[in-house]
Amino acid sequence: MAFSPDSRWIVFGSYDKTVRIWDVETGKQHGPSLEGHDGAVHSVAFSPDGRRIVSGSNDYTVRIWDVETGKQHGPSLEGHDCYVKSVAFSPDGRRIVSGSDDYTVRIWDVETGKQHGPSLEGHDYLVQSVAFSPDGRWIVSGSHDKTVRIWDVQTGKQHGPSLEGHDGAVHSVAFSPDGRLIVSGSDDYTVRIWDVETGKQHGPSLEGHNDRVRSVAFSPDGRRIVSGSSDKTVRIWDVETGQQHGPSLEGHNGWVLSVAFSPDGRRIVSGSDDETVRIWDVETGQQHRPSLEGHDNWVLSVAFSPDGRWIVSGSHDKTVRIWDVETGQQHGSSLEGHDGSVLSVAFSPDGRRIVSGSDDNTVRIWDLPHANSLDMSFGERSRMFDGWIRGPNSERLFWVAPHLQRGLFPPFQTLFIGRYIQTRLDVSKLVHGEAWMSVRGDRTEGST
């Protein structure tokens, strides 16, 4: 799933073989489903101008779609011999890169629909992640063959030898903001930095973790890297010296599954299977405020808002929570509605909305709740338990039929993407408890 650059649309690829575009404002699907794939759609992305969408599928094809018309743009991009797991547009929107389980990387011309040059071959196992450099000159790919490879977009040739050194699968790769360096994290417990021009490892391996490196990211200025590991620690590294910046950030009691820098680079957020979210000060290495507690299970994904004021977290407890960075307090009540673990969360580019993806096979979009939201009977503090909508004091308000429960719109949800009946409730005239007597009284007075 992905937001368009202007935050107007969200695109979602599904195991039902379709691509769907949704209008964020109205919550309505934009045109019919984009049909054509013969297999599950694993990856989707918008072009930089927001006019087109690219999708990669288990049917071994890449397809381009026109957002306004909903029509496929040109023929399917065919050539891969196995599942297409990752796709991305170049910064100028003229080309697409795809990575596949057929061990290859391919570049495509958006206008002609033709493959640009020969397949980029060299990996000996599944290609799980691909990305363009910020200037569009290079592509980086990470593979289960334990290597990172850089490719020249113009020539289609591998740029220098494979970046070898990892002793385990490479799960995550990223370019630095200036495109000069690449960072990779691996099952071999190390983080490595690579120089794009020379193809050499930039300094020694960043060693210190005692278990798999689950997540890596560059700071916005490119001077530092953060890594989160199954050894329960978060570590900050100085890109130039290769030294760890300060002591390990310790406090989590479980695997660190997700890390991210704030937009200004001053803070880091981490989510863990110890059910907490923690904020860290980059300069001091100290935890900023107490742990953000409230989740009842693993925290699988964390992200900062574009202005750095808020953090969103998604959890195995099926909820999405928003946190105030300065106070460390939860902002409003939990966003409930998913019927499965929340695997991924992100803010829209304008920071007004949150998107969440779950293993209940749905994607939901939420408005950022206002701090002064009214505490209505069916409001931000309402819950659904065993089909009953309960009020702020756990009192039963009304019951929702089973076939409507999974598609129910909770408070603040603006869009639901899934194969269930969508249900919105009008509770503007709802009364409960002793308040029903006022309704009876009004009716009696009106009849005399």
Side-chain angles (χ1 to χ4, degrees):
M1 61 184 176
F3 272 102
S4 62
D6 62 5
S7 299
R8 287 183 60 203
W9 315 107
I10 187 170
V11 62
F12 177 58
S14 171
Y15 277 89
D16 69 3
K17 308 177 185 180
T18 68
V19 176
R20 297 170 193 253
I21 308 170
W22 303 82
D23 187 302
V24 174
E25 285 299 324
T26 66
K28 301 293 187 182
Q29 184 169 327
H30 176 69
S33 302
L34 310 184
E35 300 182 358
H37 282 299
D38 294 322
V41 179
H42 280 290
S43 182
V44 290
F46 274 95
S47 60
D49 62 8
R51 295 174 50 221
R52 290 180 179 144
I53 290 166
V54 61
S55 58
S57 166
N58 276 6
D59 66 4
Y60 309 173
T61 71
V62 176
R63 296 175 191 244
I64 307 171
W65 312 87
D66 187 287
V67 172
E68 286 303 319
T69 67
K71 301 295 187 181
Q72 186 170 325
H73 176 75
S76 303
L77 311 184
E78 300 182 358
H80 282 299
D81 297 321
C82 203
Y83 301 165
V84 179
K85 288 293 183 66
S86 183
V87 292
F89 272 97
S90 62
D92 63 7
R94 296 173 52 207
R95 296 198 173 117
I96 289 167
V97 61
S98 57
S100 169
D101 282 1
D102 67 5
Y103 309 173
T104 71
V105 176
R106 298 176 191 242
I107 307 171
W108 311 87
D109 187 289
V110 172
E111 286 306 316
T112 67
K114 301 294 187 182
Q115 186 170 324
H116 176 74
S119 303
L120 311 184
E121 300 183 357
H123 283 298
D124 298 323
Y125 205 21
L126 316 179
V127 178
Q128 293 292 293
S129 180
V130 292
F132 274 97
S133 62
D135 62 6
R137 291 181 58 203
W138 314 108
I139 289 167
V140 63
S141 57
S143 169
H144 280 204
D145 67 5
K146 308 178 185 178
T147 71
V148 176
R149 297 177 191 244
I150 306 171
W151 311 87
D152 186 300
V153 173
Q154 288 302 320
T155 66
K157 302 294 186 181
Q158 185 170 323
H159 177 68
S162 304
L163 311 185
E164 299 183 358
H166 282 299
D167 295 322
V170 178
H171 290 293
S172 180
V173 293
F175 276 99
S176 60
D178 63 7
R180 292 176 48 241
L181 302 172
I182 291 167
V183 63
S184 57
S186 169
D187 280 354
D188 66 3
Y189 308 175
T190 71
V191 175
R192 298 176 191 244
I193 308 172
W194 313 88
D195 187 291
V196 173
E197 285 300 325
T198 66
K200 302 293 186 181
Q201 187 169 324
H202 178 76
S205 302
L206 311 185
E207 299 183 358
H209 284 299
N210 301 314
D211 209 328
R212 296 178 179 180
V213 178
R214 299 267 179 177
S215 183
V216 293
F218 272 100
S219 61
D221 63 7
R223 295 173 53 207
R224 292 183 178 137
I225 289 167
V226 62
S227 58
S229 168
S230 294
D231 67 5
K232 308 178 185 179
T233 70
V234 175
R235 299 176 191 244
I236 307 171
W237 311 87
D238 187 288
V239 171
E240 285 307 313
T241 66
Q243 298 297 309
Q244 186 170 324
H245 175 74
S248 303
L249 310 185
E250 299 183 358
H252 281 298
N253 298 315
W255 296 349
V256 179
L257 303 175
S258 182
V259 293
F261 273 97
S262 62
D264 62 8
R266 295 172 52 214
R267 292 183 178 135
I268 289 166
V269 62
S270 58
S272 168
D273 70 2
D274 67 4
E275 305 177 4
T276 70
V277 175
R278 299 177 191 242
I279 308 172
W280 311 87
D281 187 288
V282 171
E283 286 305 317
T284 67
Q286 299 297 310
Q287 188 170 322
H288 176 74
R289 307 286 185 188
S291 303
L292 311 184
E293 299 183 359
H295 283 297
D296 299 322
N297 214 313
W298 295 9
V299 179
L300 303 174
S301 181
V302 292
F304 273 97
S305 62
D307 62 6
R309 290 183 59 201
W310 314 107
I311 288 168
V312 63
S313 57
S315 169
H316 195 54
D317 67 6
K318 307 178 185 179
T319 70
V320 176
R321 298 177 191 243
I322 305 167
W323 311 87
D324 186 300
V325 172
E326 285 306 316
T327 67
Q329 300 297 309
Q330 185 170 327
H331 178 67
S333 294
S334 306
L335 306 181
E336 300 187 357
H338 281 298
D339 197 35
S341 300
V342 181
L343 306 175
S344 180
V345 290
F347 277 91
S348 62
D350 61 11
R352 294 173 50 222
R353 294 190 171 96
I354 291 163
V355 62
S356 58
S358 167
D359 64 9
D360 66 3
N361 300 323
T362 70
V363 174
R364 297 176 188 253
I365 300 178
W366 315 81
D367 276 324
L368 183 66
H370 298 295
N372 60 351
S373 297
L374 296 178
D375 186 16
M376 301 178 294
S377 293
F378 185 57
E380 62 169 303
R381 294 177 59 195
S382 300
R383 299 286 184 274
M384 184 165 66
F385 182 74
D386 288 340
W388 282 95
I389 300 296
R390 297 176 180 266
N393 299 312
S394 296
E395 68 274 23
R396 290 183 177 182
L397 302 179
F398 51 88
W399 184 74
V400 180
H403 68 290
L404 300 177
Q405 291 172 13
R406 299 193 77 177
L408 180 67
F409 276 64
F412 302 116
Q413 185 179 311
T414 61
L415 178 60
F416 172 88
I417 303 174
R419 303 183 68 183
Y420 307 109
I421 299 173
Q422 297 188 19
T423 306
R424 295 179 185 268
L425 300 175
D426 181 0
V427 295
S428 59
K429 299 180 179 180
L430 172 69
V431 292
H432 63 94
E434 295 181 359
W436 72 271
M437 292 294 290
S438 64
V439 177
R440 182 176 183 277
D442 292 342
R443 290 174 59 87
T444 301
E445 292 173 4
S447 62
T448 58

